[in-house]
Amino acid sequence: MEPSLRRTASSLCGNCTASLRRQFLARNVGRSWMPAALHLHHHVRALHATTPSQSKRASPTLGSGKAVRDFTSSAKLEAGAGAAAKQTEQAPLRLSEDDLFHPFSSSPVPEFRRRAAFMKQHAYCPHPDHQHTKVPTIAPKPEDAAATGGSLAPAHVDFECPDCGMPVYCSKDHWMDDYENHLKICDTLRQINEDDHDLRSGRVFKEANLPGQQMEEAMVNMTNWDTLMYTRDFDAVDSDRGMRQITRLLTYPITVGSILHELSPYSIKQGERLTVEGLKSFSGEALRYNLHPGKSGRGAGVNQLRPEPPPVRIFVLGARAESSLPRATWLQLAYLFPESKFHLILIGPESMANRDDEFPLPERTPSNPFGAIVEDRISHRMKISTIVDYYHTIHQTGHFAPYDPYFDCFVLFHPGLGHPASSHEWEETLPQLLETKVPIISTGYTQFDLERDVEWVKQKSKGEFDVLLEPGENTFRSLRWDLNDMDPQDISCGNWGVWAFRGKRYVLHLMGSMLGISRIANP
């Protein structure tokens, strides 16, 4: 939008601003990147997998590289969106709104037929008569904790449930015999089936037209998804399926913003999970102080200029699918804090997964020792850097030191801290994170996944950490459910739970420090 129009928009009400914004968006820009970005959904577990064979598995559907590149390139934004819109307009509508349910093996979309074949080759029948083949992904019942399964050998799934359309059991007999257990997830599996087909239906994703900068007079309400989208002036989403699709993308930036914002739904009130140490870190003394600077004394005149604080650095460690999000999605985080600037740093060996077609990795030079890809023209208030390396190797060099609790924050999206296959990758990193005394926000796929991570941190840190946000369900979790193709019983959603912690701080008493005593015991 041109500067004159932007100034005009700042004096309009929310509805007029939305109308003006839509005039300057590509007519069907939602088509160009929404389905491509959401194609990550059923391979999220592959991107977030903890075994090398899963994390490096090629996916024929993850073609989001070009869409993301066109969307994030400031020079080619309009041309890329226009070309994508024209190309999509020529594509026929393959599936109507009332024709979204199809069994995977007989789906009109070839991709789902390939998925069904993949599941039948790798997923095992969950009937209790079969021997167990994997570590449980949900909390086992006490009576089943030591059980190893039945006497039958493991068998791959082959029979598709007619109600959900997923291959879930090795035979019809086992499906009928265990039907009571299958009913617990059957409706959710059917919802996943329809949502997946919706992405390939060819419809216009109007919910992908995201709002721009927030007016200063408009207050954001972060009670839940509905109040947030209303006060942020999102286009109305008139279906539950549309809400599930858009929240699958927005859960990453909004989860971070909901914890750091001064109007956060997490407070120190009883039952709202924020601890006293969390109040100190997020509100009283650190991040929120700089994310919501006072406006007194500032103005347009030369004598009213005030120095601006440096950007708030958000380190996303173990970045995978979130690094492929359209940059307009990440900008929603910056719009929640109109007076602050952000530097989003995506770090991890898989941070460029499925983005190989965008651009080659730069060479490592003295000025760019880790070959970082820097996207600094996304917005004047946000810069994104991507580093394909392990964080603990970067930390040892002091590249980002010193760390400041007033301007830094670590975020771990589904890190698998306590997962048996990935916990070893975090053993060296965890002490380094606690050493910085910077807040660490961590999420989990399920309640079991989150509790397992919390327990692992307690065991490895030996109590040298303070909980800032008690573990629990995330207010801004994805409303869309995801399926693990390796195990149809493993159902999860993006950022289901969230908690926060940091390294313990020991405040020495003045007299104790003068006497060289670290702690003063009460008599």
Side-chain angles (χ1 to χ4, degrees):
M1 190 180 294
E2 298 178 1
S4 59
L5 293 173
R6 187 180 295 110
R7 289 193 298 269
T8 304
S10 64
S11 62
L12 298 176
C13 67
N15 292 333
C16 296
T17 305
S19 176
L20 184 64
R21 183 182 71 249
R22 282 192 289 269
Q23 296 179 19
F24 291 92
L25 285 174
R27 180 175 181 181
N28 291 327
V29 68
R31 296 186 182 186
S32 64
W33 63 270
M34 176 77 166
L38 278 175
H39 280 186
L40 294 168
H41 73 286
H42 77 266
H43 283 288
V44 165
R45 283 304 186 119
L47 289 176
H48 293 249
T50 53
T51 58
S53 60
Q54 287 180 302
S55 61
K56 297 181 181 179
R57 173 162 53 88
S59 171
T61 64
L62 297 178
S64 60
K66 185 178 185 301
V68 174
R69 181 181 69 248
D70 289 343
F71 202 85
T72 56
S73 174
S74 58
K76 299 182 179 179
L77 173 60
E78 295 182 0
K86 291 181 180 178
Q87 181 179 2
T88 312
E89 286 177 357
Q90 299 173 358
L93 184 66
R94 293 190 288 183
L95 300 174
S96 61
E97 186 176 353
D98 56 354
D99 186 34
L100 295 178
F101 174 74
H102 296 275
F104 270 22
S105 61
S106 58
S107 171
V109 183
E111 174 191 346
F112 294 111
R113 298 197 294 270
R114 291 192 294 267
R115 284 185 65 186
F118 178 87
M119 294 168 71
K120 291 179 180 180
Q121 290 179 357
H122 296 85
Y124 287 93
C125 177
H127 194 278
D129 286 350
H130 292 288
Q131 297 176 1
H132 294 173
T133 60
K134 63 180 181 65
V135 176
T137 55
I138 59 175
K141 299 178 181 178
E143 61 270 18
D144 298 335
T148 58
S151 57
L152 296 180
H156 291 290
V157 297
D158 187 64
F159 176 77
E160 276 186 339
C161 173
D163 297 324
C164 62
M166 302 281 189
V168 287
Y169 287 88
C170 64
S171 65
K172 184 176 181 180
D173 292 339
H174 274 190
W175 169 73
M176 295 177 63
D177 187 48
D178 202 40
Y179 188 66
E180 184 177 354
N181 286 328
H182 177 65
L183 277 179
K184 299 176 182 178
I185 61 172
C186 187
D187 290 342
T188 305
L189 289 176
R190 183 184 179 98
Q191 185 183 100
I192 294 173
N193 186 321
E194 294 179 355
D195 288 349
D196 285 359
H197 280 91
D198 178 52
L199 291 179
R200 283 81 176 174
S201 64
R203 74 174 177 91
V204 177
F205 286 82
K206 298 180 180 179
E207 58 267 33
N209 289 332
L210 304 180
Q213 187 170 347
Q214 185 84 351
M215 292 190 299
E216 294 184 6
E217 296 80 7
M219 189 71 70
V220 178
N221 188 325
M222 308 196 75
T223 304
N224 51 47
W225 277 117
D226 292 330
T227 58
L228 172 73
M229 297 180 73
Y230 179 78
T231 54
R232 277 286 292 121
D233 199 22
F234 278 77
D235 290 343
V237 181
D238 54 2
S239 68
D240 292 339
R241 180 169 293 113
M243 279 292 291
R244 292 195 296 268
Q245 305 289 27
I246 191 60
T247 57
R248 184 66 185 89
L249 297 181
L250 292 175
T251 180
Y252 292 98
I254 302 302
T255 292
V256 179
S258 67
I259 297 176
L260 302 182
H261 203 275
E262 64 180 354
L263 301 178
S264 168
Y266 310 107
S267 69
I268 200 171
K269 295 179 182 179
Q270 185 176 3
E272 295 190 5
R273 297 166 49 192
L274 191 70
T275 65
V276 174
E277 292 298 327
L279 185 66
K280 294 178 182 178
S281 291
F282 292 133
S283 301
E285 65 181 49
L287 280 168
R288 291 181 188 172
Y289 178 83
N290 290 299
L291 289 171
H292 301 280
K295 299 179 181 180
S296 60
R298 291 188 298 166
V302 176
N303 60 339
Q304 296 175 316
L305 294 178
R306 296 292 182 271
E308 291 188 357
V312 173
R313 299 188 300 180
I314 297 181
F315 298 89
V316 180
L317 307 187
R320 294 172 295 258
E322 57 270 21
S323 64
S324 299
L325 286 179
R327 292 331 187 212
T329 305
W330 276 117
L331 275 177
Q332 297 303 309
L333 174 62
Y335 293 148
L336 292 176
F337 306 92
E339 301 296 330
S340 302
K341 294 182 179 180
F342 289 90
H343 184 191
L344 185 66
I345 306 171
L346 305 167
I347 302 175
E350 297 178 90
S351 57
M352 285 296 291
N354 307 301
R355 298 176 61 191
D356 299 334
D357 295 336
E358 293 185 40
F359 31 68
L361 294 178
E363 296 182 1
R364 302 196 174 197
T365 62
S367 60
N368 189 8
F370 294 100
I373 298 173
V374 180
E375 304 169 62
D376 57 354
R377 297 187 179 182
I378 298 172
S379 169
H380 68 285
R381 290 179 29 240
M382 175 172 277
K383 179 174 73 171
I384 298 181
S385 300
T386 306
I387 301 178
V388 185
D389 207 333
Y390 285 101
Y391 171 77
H392 58 79
T393 62
I394 302 174
H395 182 90
Q396 293 169 357
T397 64
H399 183 66
F400 290 112
Y403 296 91
D404 190 342
Y406 283 80
F407 294 100
D408 295 332
C409 177
F410 290 104
V411 180
L412 316 177
F413 291 117
H414 319 110
L417 297 175
H419 195 285
S422 61
S423 58
H424 66 280
E425 298 179 355
W426 294 99
E427 288 194 10
E428 188 174 354
T429 303
L430 180 62
Q432 297 172 347
L433 297 181
L434 298 178
E435 178 187 354
T436 64
K437 312 301 181 185
V438 170
I440 306 165
I441 301 172
S442 180
T443 69
Y445 282 118
T446 62
Q447 182 177 359
F448 177 64
D449 185 35
L450 188 70
E451 292 175 350
R452 184 173 56 186
D453 288 353
V454 174
E455 187 62 29
W456 184 85
V457 173
K458 290 181 179 179
Q459 294 177 359
K460 296 297 180 179
S461 66
K462 297 182 176 62
E464 291 296 316
F465 74 97
D466 290 320
V467 176
L468 309 181
L469 181 67
E470 295 288 349
E473 186 173 355
N474 179 14
T475 302
F476 292 98
R477 71 172 180 85
S478 169
L479 300 180
R480 173 192 169 90
W481 292 96
D482 297 317
L483 174 70
N484 180 5
D485 288 355
M486 303 285 289
D487 179 12
Q489 310 298 315
D490 185 9
I491 299 173
S492 62
C493 66
N495 302 319
W496 179 92
V498 65
W499 71 301
F501 61 102
R502 61 160 164 74
K504 185 178 289 291
R505 298 177 184 174
Y506 292 101
V507 180
L508 304 181
H509 192 277
L510 177 60
M511 183 175 294
S513 62
M514 293 174 60
L515 297 175
I517 303 174
S518 60
R519 297 179 183 176
I520 299 178
N522 294 326

